[in-house]
Amino acid sequence: MPTSPTRPKFHLSPAQKRQFEEDGLLLIPGFFSSETASKLLSRSKELLEEFSLEGHPMTVFSTTAEEKHVGDAYFLESGDKIRYFFEKEAFTDGKLNRPKELAVNKIGHALHELDPSFRAFTLENPDVVNLVRELDAHRIPQVIQSMVICKQKEVGGAVNSHDDSTFLYTNPLSAVGLWFALEDCTPNNGCLSFVPGSHKRNPISKRLERVPGGGTAIMPIPGVVNETDWDAEGVAWQVADCKAGGKSAPHPPPFGYRILLSLNADLVLIHGSVVHRSEKNLSQKSRFIFTFHMIDGACEWDEKNWLQPTPEMPFTRLY
């Protein structure tokens, strides 16, 4: 699903690059077309319709390392597959309380390789290639995982404050996320919020690792200390108008979260160390997005990381 020939070729402006370097996150309104967003949304819903519950372990997705899914094989072996993870609130007494199509939290983690629509959008998209080239963050840009995050109406779970490098750790750090809105994302349905500039003062002090005997655990990184409580009471919240370039008044000390409104077809570029989160979706509107993460293949990818390339599906070089 490459860029339409009627759309101008994308180029990252110097001002956009400076803003990304300053904030650790960059909103690019209208990076792709609304038509493409609609097609990817439709394909996402087709996948939800098509998958079978027969033999499914009914794995619940959570960003908390202590939750069961982090240690089960269905999750750990999903790096080269398309698998489906449920919302916790979609169950009552261990049984789904709604149709499966309205119960899935996310689809992952190899859409960029295995699904033709998402592969074309990710790996055969000249605008994505131009963006990554002009960002110039990776010597060997590799796509390592991809997901559709559904944020279902009524039950879409909150994602706690986190950074991506904790879960996608390289030495040196190199993770970058590209987050594509397939629907409008507002405070009502669980849009993103982030701490501007946190990538500069958020040393990565822990990482998600596979542990002996199976499963995973959040483990400290020796010699790195990070005492900031990103969820402390009294932190400031501010709304940023996406059509104003994602800008708002300077955040007050010690820090404040900026709520990021985004419309369908907008792209959010996320530095691996920037702190971000999203709230529950209790509304009647879903908040589907597609995202993929990249690393620099010149950096060390540790064998302890939860996500591992396989001989059949090594990490994909973008160019």
Side-chain angles (χ1 to χ4, degrees):
M1 197 174 299
T3 303
S4 166
T6 61
R7 286 171 59 87
K9 188 175 182 180
F10 175 81
H11 288 287
L12 187 69
S13 72
Q16 287 174 317
K17 188 172 182 179
R18 285 194 301 272
Q19 185 176 349
F20 180 68
E21 292 169 349
E22 178 182 346
D23 287 349
L25 185 146
L26 176 67
L27 175 68
I28 304 177
F31 177 82
F32 58 118
S33 70
S34 293
E35 179 184 11
T36 297
S38 179
K39 288 180 179 179
L40 293 178
L41 179 61
S42 295
R43 179 57 186 148
S44 300
K45 293 183 177 181
E46 286 175 0
L47 289 169
L48 293 175
E49 292 277 352
E50 292 168 0
F51 92 96
S52 175
L53 291 178
E54 185 177 353
H56 193 289
M58 310 302 279
T59 303
V60 172
F61 178 75
S62 172
T63 55
T64 303
E66 288 76 14
E67 295 285 352
K68 180 181 180 297
H69 92 90
V70 178
D72 78 24
Y74 187 81
F75 173 77
L76 290 175
E77 296 172 4
S78 64
D80 58 354
K81 301 174 182 67
I82 297 176
R83 288 187 166 174
Y84 302 81
F85 304 88
F86 288 97
E87 289 285 1
K88 185 176 182 178
E89 298 298 322
F91 291 86
T92 300
D93 297 328
K95 296 182 179 180
L96 284 177
N97 56 31
R98 63 200 60 236
K100 65 180 175 65
E101 296 82 5
L102 302 178
V104 169
N105 169 287
K106 74 170 184 175
I107 309 169
H109 289 94
L111 289 162
H112 64 286
E113 281 283 7
L114 299 179
D115 183 85
S117 295
F118 287 102
R119 180 182 176 88
F121 183 74
T122 305
L123 303 177
E124 302 165 11
N125 188 335
D127 282 347
V128 168
V129 171
N130 282 351
L131 170 63
V132 174
R133 282 189 187 277
E134 292 172 355
L135 187 64
D136 196 27
H138 298 143
R139 186 159 62 89
I140 303 175
Q142 292 181 330
V143 179
I144 61 171
Q145 70 166 8
S146 55
M147 301 173 281
V148 167
I149 301 176
C150 306
K151 206 75 157 176
Q152 302 279 5
K153 66 177 184 178
E154 300 176 345
V155 295
V159 178
N160 296 332
S161 300
H162 69 287
D163 56 72
D164 294 337
S165 290
T166 294
F167 302 93
L168 304 170
Y169 184 83
T170 63
N171 184 21
L173 300 174
S174 66
V176 173
L178 285 80
W179 192 99
F180 303 88
L182 305 184
E183 298 183 290
D184 292 352
C185 307
T186 73
N188 292 329
N189 68 354
C191 65
L192 282 176
S193 58
F194 73 106
V195 181
S198 53
H199 62 306
K200 299 179 181 179
R201 47 199 175 103
N202 177 40
I204 305 304
S205 59
K206 57 187 183 298
R207 52 179 288 202
L208 183 67
E209 297 182 359
R210 294 185 180 226
V211 295
T216 60
I218 294 287
M219 303 296 291
I221 297 175
V224 183
V225 177
N226 186 348
E227 297 180 346
T228 303
D229 180 1
W230 298 105
D231 292 307
E233 292 187 11
V235 299
W237 290 84
Q238 298 174 1
V239 174
D241 181 352
C242 72
K243 292 307 177 186
K247 293 184 178 296
S248 65
H251 51 277
F255 60 84
Y257 278 84
R258 183 182 296 172
I259 299 173
L260 192 75
L261 311 184
S262 52
L263 304 181
N264 81 85
D266 289 352
L267 163 64
V268 183
L269 190 62
I270 305 174
H271 189 284
S273 297
V274 81
V275 177
H276 57 290
R277 69 188 190 191
S278 64
E279 305 307 307
K280 288 183 178 180
N281 181 12
L282 302 178
S283 78
Q284 293 301 306
K285 293 184 178 180
S286 59
R287 193 225 64 183
F288 276 67
I289 67 97
F290 171 63
T291 183
F292 67 85
H293 288 89
M294 303 185 63
I295 61 165
D296 189 342
C299 300
E300 177 188 4
W301 182 261
D302 196 287
E303 63 182 9
K304 293 181 180 179
N305 284 336
W306 81 265
L307 176 66
Q308 292 295 324
T310 63
E312 297 77 20
M313 191 178 295
F315 292 154
T316 312
R317 184 162 180 167
L318 184 63
Y319 57 80

